[in-house]
């Protein structure tokens, strides 16, 4: 079974460690899996992504089941479609002040439209790779902060699988492509991709048995304070 995994590179740099780690990890995982992964990497830095305007337009109509797209016309339209189409998603981010990059934050807020459209990303496995310049520079906190919006989107968070069962990939690198000498980071990268593949395969096979639709329904009122 072919599994489509979408990589999201959240570094603003050319020849970034994130880009190198993603490419290495996909190649290494595919070598072990006999080429069962079809992958694409979106380099967010090359895309025109505007910040969410909080206009409150996107989502679905309150009176009937009709979806309303985001009002902003930029490259997010294409990125959101690719996220929906993928069987799994991997995010690679540099660690900035113990958090994912600001590019990630700007991008992820724009996925709110999918949440409001009855969780279009529901049940999609998501793994995270964080690259820090310093050992103990905040890779774990960056990974966990990256998880949170995906959980709100109904995604399934995965780590790096059974060998060490860490939170994903904690890589250690400074200058451009320095990551290619971080043996442990590279190994965790490959494991994270294989773990996403494993869970995505199970979900894809399960959908053929129980159906492909999600039971998750977005509500404008549940948990909201009446105004
Ligand atoms: C604004 C900024 C903040 C950073 N904050 C941290 C940090 O909190 N901890 C850390 O270990 N490294 C930090 N770094 C270093 C980067 O995480 C590191 O160089 C990483 O390898 C960059 O990945 P990239 O090449 O994919 O962009 C920071 C770098 C920048 C530019």
């Amino acid at each position: 079974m072919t599994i489509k995994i979408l990589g999201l590179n959240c570094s603003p740099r050319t020849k970034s460690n994130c880009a190198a780690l993603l490419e290495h990890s996909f190649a290494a995982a595919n070598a072990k899996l006999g080429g069962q992964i079809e992958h694409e990497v979106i380099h967010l830095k090359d895309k025109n992504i505007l910040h969410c305007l909080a206009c409150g337009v996107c989502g679905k109509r309150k009176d009937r089941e009709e979806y309303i797209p985001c009002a902003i016309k930029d490259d997010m339209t294409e990125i959101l479609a690719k996220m929906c189409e993928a069987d799994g998603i991997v995010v690679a981010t540099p660690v900035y002040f113990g958090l994912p990059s600001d590019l990630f934050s700007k991008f992820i807020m724009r996925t709110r439209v999918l949440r409001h459209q009855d969780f279009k990303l529901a049940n999609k496995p998501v793994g995270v790779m964080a690259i820090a310049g310093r050992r103990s520079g905040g890779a774990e906190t960056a990974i966990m902060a990256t998880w949170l919006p995906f959980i709100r989107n109904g995604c399934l968070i995965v780590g790096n699988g059974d060998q060490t069962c860490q939170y994903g990939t904690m890589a250690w690198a400074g200058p451009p492509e320095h990551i290619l000498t971080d043996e442990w980071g590279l190994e965790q990268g490959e494991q994270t991709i294989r773990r996403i593949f494993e869970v995505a395969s199970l979900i894809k096979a399960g959908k053929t048995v129980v159906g492909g639709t999600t039971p998750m329904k977005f509500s404008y009122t549940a948990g909201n304070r009446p105004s």
Side-chain angles (χ1 to χ4, degrees), residues 53-54 71 82 86 114 116 118 128 131 133 149 154 169 181 184 186 192 201 227:
L53 298 171
K82 286 188 175 180
L114 302 179
H116 286 197
D118 299 321
V128 181
I131 307 177
T169 306
T181 58
W184 176 222
L186 296 178
T192 302
S201 305
S227 47

Side-chain angles (χ1 to χ4, degrees), residues 205-217:
K207 279 181 183 171
T208 64
V209 179
V210 297
T213 53
T214 168
M216 292 182 75
K217 283 277 167 211

Side-chain angles (χ1 to χ4, degrees), residues 17-98:
N17 287 308
C18 287
L21 179 59
L22 281 168
E23 283 311 328
H24 172 92
S25 304
F26 276 120
N30 248 342
K32 287 205 176 149
L33 295 166
Q36 291 181 81
I37 299 173
E38 197 182 294
H39 82 275
E40 180 183 356
V41 174
I42 297 179
H43 304 279
L44 296 182
K45 75 176 179 61
D46 297 335
K47 300 293 179 185
N48 176 30
I49 301 174
L50 304 175
H51 61 77
C52 174
L53 298 171
C55 64
V57 170
C58 75
K60 63 178 178 181
R61 286 180 57 134
K62 292 184 179 146
D63 53 345
R64 61 174 189 264
E65 296 284 302
E66 190 182 310
Y67 291 156
I68 304 166
C70 177
I72 303 172
K73 301 299 167 223
D74 63 3
D75 290 342
M76 277 308 292
T77 310
E78 170 207 350
I79 297 172
L80 294 175
K82 286 188 175 180
M83 290 175 82
C84 291
E85 199 194 312
D87 299 309
I89 295 171
V90 58
V91 176
T93 180
V95 176
Y96 283 0
F97 283 81

